Amino acid sequence: MNEPLIRVRKWFFAWQDEKQESWLGDMSRKGLHLKGFALFGSFLFEQGPARDYAYRMDYNQGKPLEDYQQLIRDAGWEHLGERNGWHYWCKEVKSGQASEIFTDAASKWQKYQRLFTTYTASLPAVVAMYIIGVAAFNRFPGRHPQWFVVTFVILFIGWIVFAILNAVMIQLRMNELKKKQTL
């Protein structure tokens, strides 16, 4: 009989993929192995013997992934699932050496470039929705409760700040990798 999965809620920003990979490895060494995802930042773990697994993530949203996934599987990685464009992979660590999906800075840079493009592509749409919402509030004054207008403005400004922060932090990661390429 299968034991129930253990739900652990933990939040990470988009640029914290390496921190997330490390945390997942720590969880496996404690006997909790990633099996899936639930809503609101929840990870689903299966209880088992402590194992040393390396976890790696790749961002690849909206692309046909059949050949890409097969290439990584052929290298011994198990695909655990996808969340918001992030693909999660695991592989048992052999001889104390963690394996890498990305063997060079250039391919890792490309991962962050895909992520950066997603964040920057969505920013104009978010700004446009904010402008349309504010224009609607101005065009029809008094038809919306004050708390609704304030909540709308705060949420959209928060989302814009969040998207810009993510884009800046991802760009900084890309710059670090670019420096490694030129060295």
Side-chain angles (χ1 to χ4, degrees):
M1 184 166 146
N2 291 343
E3 293 197 28
L5 295 176
I6 297 167
R7 180 186 305 248
V8 177
R9 182 169 289 145
K10 182 119 171 134
W11 295 89
F12 294 95
F13 289 104
W15 69 86
Q16 294 178 316
D17 55 319
E18 290 174 354
K19 182 177 180 181
Q20 190 174 158
E21 292 168 351
S22 176
W23 176 73
L24 290 168
D26 290 344
M27 296 298 280
S28 278
R29 286 185 286 282
K30 294 176 184 174
L32 294 174
H33 309 291
L34 182 65
K35 290 298 170 192
F37 311 98
L39 296 176
F40 305 113
S42 293
F43 294 84
L44 300 175
F45 293 95
E46 181 178 71
Q47 181 78 45
R51 305 284 299 264
D52 194 6
Y53 284 116
Y55 288 87
R56 297 295 178 258
M57 298 166 55
D58 184 21
Y59 186 80
N60 208 335
Q61 188 172 29
K63 297 196 176 203
L65 301 171
E66 193 82 26
D67 294 338
Y68 159 78
Q69 286 186 353
Q70 190 58 50
L71 179 69
I72 296 174
R73 279 190 193 100
D74 290 345
W77 291 89
E78 178 187 353
H79 188 248
L80 299 174
E82 182 263 340
R83 172 190 265 177
N84 299 328
W86 284 101
H87 292 266
Y88 289 74
W89 300 89
C90 82
K91 182 179 184 179
E92 190 166 6
V93 175
K94 304 282 187 200
S95 309
Q97 295 180 332
S99 299
E100 293 294 333
I101 290 177
F102 301 105
T103 56
D104 61 357
S107 56
K108 201 168 198 176
W109 185 89
Q110 290 171 348
K111 169 179 78 169
Y112 291 117
Q113 178 62 42
R114 291 189 297 270
L115 183 60
F116 182 80
T117 300
T118 298
Y119 272 97
T120 56
S122 67
L123 196 55
V126 171
V127 171
M129 287 177 12
Y130 174 74
I131 291 169
I132 291 168
V134 169
F137 294 145
N138 288 334
R139 175 75 171 106
F140 305 106
R143 292 192 182 178
H144 310 285
Q146 187 66 29
W147 66 266
F148 181 79
V149 175
V150 170
T151 302
F152 174 85
V153 170
I154 289 171
L155 286 176
F156 266 99
I157 289 174
W159 176 249
I160 291 167
V161 169
F162 177 76
I164 290 170
L165 174 66
N166 273 302
V168 167
M169 296 303 290
I170 294 164
Q171 185 64 53
L172 290 173
R173 295 289 304 272
M174 291 169 61
N175 291 346
E176 288 174 19
L177 290 167
K178 200 63 140 170
K179 287 179 186 175
K180 287 180 184 179
Q181 284 180 331
T182 58
L183 295 177

